[in-house]
Amino acid sequence: MKAEHYVGGVFRSDGTSFPLIAPADGSELGAVPEATREVVDDAVTAAQAALRGPWGTTSAEDRAAALRAVADGIQARFEEFVDAEVADTGRSREFARTVDVPRAIGNFRSYAELLYGRPERAYTTQIPGWSGGAGEALNYTVRRPLGVVAIISPWNLPLLLSTWKIAPALACGNAVVLKPSEETPSTATLLARVIDDAGLPDGVFNLVHGHGPDAAGEFLTGHPGVDAIAFTGESATGAAIMRNAADHVTPVSFELGGKNPALVFADADLDAAVDGTVRSSFTHSGQICLCTERVYVERPVFDEFVVRLGERASALDGYGPMISAGHRDKVLAYYGLARDEGATVVAGGGAPSFGDERDGGFHVEPTVLTGLPETARAVREEIFGPVCHVAPFDTEDEALALANDSPYGLASTLWTRDLSRAHRVAPRVETGIVWVNCWNIRDLRTPFGGVKASGIGREGGEYSLDFFSEPVNVCIQI
Ligand code: NAD
């Protein structure tokens, strides 16, 4: 798949480009065009023009039909999407076939359905006596689109996370400019092809490729013609985007980083807790924002848990690479730092050697650490690799204090068979999502997002529709 910009209904790849590298073996997959400020300007202008055209007054029914056409288009090119996502990310075909592409289809279908349950005019109130002495008045609220929405997405779940924003943004009648991660441009380009074929008006969806700082990402998020920004990525990038958007007071929706805790109580089903932690720490080589990097285990079962988790981590096979040489080096630097900070390496701790073409790729070993103080950087900072640190605790209050002692607050997992404890602890963990005896079960209608440095706002179902539209109150004197 050749990466191209898609601006105002036209595919183009003018200007300079940079190489796209396959993380699985380090080979070059192709060239990605780097959007200049002019290309970004053109995309925003095309989006504004689309809003002045028929899309600006399109009915919810027509928008739902457009979303369904996009879902059908992805379905029809399912294997091409799988190929593109596997090549860009190095993940398994199974993951792309069962998670990435079905979720992208699900994102478009679910927002098409949600539009039907949602009145365009809502909250009608007639409040006699509350009109400042002006007599009776009727208030009703209309939801209208925000306008041009900039969407900036990361490399770890490229298609899933970009469509998670594109679908509700379009459902609400906005026009979109997407800038996907420079590491993973291919499924976005394929999506532009699908949207083009689905017949959405020119400029409703635009795609610009390129880097973030002092490049396409920054040009887009600082653009005066952008009416809202929906971003998923690192917390530090979120802060940079916020500073850039501040001049225009552009509203933001942020899904940011995490340092997610798991609490394993002595009364837990230990088999399930070990299984669950293997999944939550090592799925997609730890490159999911919801992955566990801090595990706190009640002391009576601590030793057994560490031995079993270490054995399972050492036996893992077929784990995918880090996204890039740079990210591999960052994760390995944290492994080294953890050793310097006094960690015991229970499993992994380095880079594997396969004796085949994978050695050209960017693999690191699934790693289990113990023995670090809570102040250690490897315990406090997001590593975003296949690694967790396991520490003991003695009381429920101590477990909660450890879990909450973090600048982040995205997701947590509790393992206990005590129902009262689960209900008591869950609301006190400072994360936006708390899983009990499971991990990463997702109902797309539920609120998704983080607290503290892990994000601003919630996505999912009605929560996304609320962000991507604005309530306007109309007051009529009777
Ligand atoms: P990143 O912040 O480096 O990049 C994300 C996107 O932002 C890319 O498209 C990049 O080009 C762009 N960007 C970078 N600097 C920019 C700038 N100054 N202005 C505008 N755009 C800029 O993140 P990443 O490395 O691609 O993704 C991994 C991070 O994403 C991790 O921190 C992970 O926890 C987080 N994440 C969070 C969630 C969530 O739902 N909370 C989901 C997935 C990933």
Side-chain angles (χ1 to χ4, degrees):
M1 166 54 52
K2 180 169 173 275
E4 290 174 297
H5 310 306
Y6 179 61
V7 175
V10 176
F11 287 91
R12 56 193 261 196
S13 48
D14 41 312
T16 59
S17 62
F18 56 92
L20 178 62
I21 304 296
D25 60 10
S27 63
E28 194 169 320
L29 292 167
V32 187
E34 178 79 58
T36 57
R37 203 180 277 280
E38 288 67 37
V39 172
V40 173
D41 266 346
D42 288 352
V44 174
T45 303
Q48 288 171 323
L51 291 166
R52 288 193 299 272
W55 185 256
T57 52
T58 187
S59 68
E61 197 175 0
D62 287 346
R63 294 200 301 273
L67 295 184
R68 267 192 242 99
V70 175
D72 291 346
I74 300 173
Q75 184 73 56
R77 301 179 74 164
F78 194 98
E79 291 303 329
E80 282 178 77
F81 276 96
V82 170
D83 289 346
E85 206 71 315
V86 168
D88 278 10
T89 62
R91 65 197 345 87
S92 71
R93 289 192 75 74
E94 196 209 341
F95 194 89
R97 301 193 90 248
T98 56
V99 180
D100 297 296
V101 186
R103 250 299 289 281
I105 296 168
N107 286 340
F108 282 101
R109 285 210 200 293
S110 64
Y111 282 103
E113 297 316 313
L114 263 177
L115 277 181
Y116 278 101
R118 187 173 169 95
E120 297 267 289
R121 287 170 170 65
Y123 321 129
T124 303
T125 52
Q126 188 173 352
I127 317 174
W130 285 97
S131 46
E136 261 184 66
L138 172 69
N139 287 280
Y140 67 92
T141 306
V142 182
R143 294 205 77 92
R144 70 173 173 218
L146 300 172
V148 177
V149 173
I151 296 177
I152 311 274
S153 51
W155 48 259
N156 68 322
L157 295 159
L159 181 66
L160 187 159
L161 288 175
S162 58
T163 55
W164 178 234
K165 300 180 193 301
I166 296 165
L170 295 180
C172 292
N174 300 285
V176 165
V177 181
L178 167 68
K179 198 215 70 75
S181 168
E182 57 276 19
E183 315 275 8
T184 52
S186 301
T187 46
T189 309
L190 210 42
L191 180 69
R193 289 274 166 205
V194 163
I195 288 176
D196 195 60
D197 291 345
L200 268 72
D202 293 348
V204 168
F205 174 78
N206 305 275
L207 167 66
V208 296
H209 293 289
H211 290 79
D214 201 22
E218 202 174 303
F219 303 153
L220 182 59
T221 51
H223 199 291
V226 165
D227 299 298
I229 299 167
F231 167 73
T232 298
E234 284 186 19
S235 301
T237 309
I241 289 176
M242 224 169 167
R243 281 193 290 273
N244 197 18
D247 280 348
H248 305 112
V249 201
T250 315
V252 296
S253 161
F254 279 173
E255 301 292 352
L256 307 177
K259 188 73 182 177
N260 305 310
L263 304 183
V264 181
F265 291 93
D267 60 36
D269 174 341
L270 213 59
D271 292 344
V274 171
D275 272 354
T277 307
V278 169
R279 283 186 58 235
S280 75
S281 289
F282 304 124
T283 297
H284 193 22
S285 289
Q287 297 172 111
I288 296 178
C289 54
L290 306 167
C291 280
T292 306
E293 290 194 3
R294 297 183 293 143
V295 187
Y296 300 103
V297 184
E298 202 166 356
R299 202 172 299 274
V301 294
F302 176 78
D303 289 341
E304 182 184 351
F305 184 91
V306 169
V307 168
R308 290 177 63 179
L309 187 68
E311 284 170 359
R312 293 283 300 277
S314 302
L316 282 174
D317 200 11
Y319 46 88
M322 301 293 94
I323 189 67
S324 62
H327 191 51
R328 184 234 2 237
D329 294 347
K330 174 186 156 185
V331 174
L332 289 177
Y334 271 107
Y335 289 1
L337 180 66
R339 277 198 186 83
D340 295 345
E341 289 176 311
T344 301
V345 180
V346 179
S353 173
F354 298 101
D356 57 31
E357 72 282 355
R358 284 176 293 174
D359 289 339
F362 313 129
H363 296 79
V364 302
E365 289 173 336
T367 294
V368 177
L369 306 168
T370 59
L372 286 172
E374 288 298 303
T375 50
R377 282 183 57 197
V379 177
R380 296 202 71 75
E381 297 173 14
E382 182 184 45
I383 301 174
F384 216 53
V387 55
C388 62
H389 177 256
V390 195
F393 69 85
D394 292 299
T395 67
E396 195 175 289
D397 282 345
E398 185 193 0
L400 268 165
L402 289 165
N404 291 340
D405 181 18
S406 170
Y408 293 106
L410 186 54
S412 55
T413 302
L414 312 181
W415 298 94
T416 176
R417 278 189 278 215
D418 181 336
L419 195 58
S420 298
R421 187 203 299 278
H423 285 299
R424 193 167 57 235
V425 173
R428 294 172 63 202
V429 187
E430 294 167 0
T431 58
I433 303 157
V434 183
W435 279 292
V436 178
N437 296 329
C438 62
W439 175 73
N440 204 8
I441 294 180
R442 292 277 296 112
D443 179 323
L444 303 189
R445 297 164 299 185
T446 57
F448 178 93
V451 302
K452 302 198 263 188
S454 290
I456 297 177
R458 293 291 178 273
E459 297 186 310
E462 293 282 333
Y463 299 91
S464 296
L465 298 180
D466 281 345
F467 175 73
F468 287 114
S469 64
E470 201 136 44
V472 177
N473 193 67
V474 181
C475 175
I476 299 175
Q477 188 169 39
I478 297 173

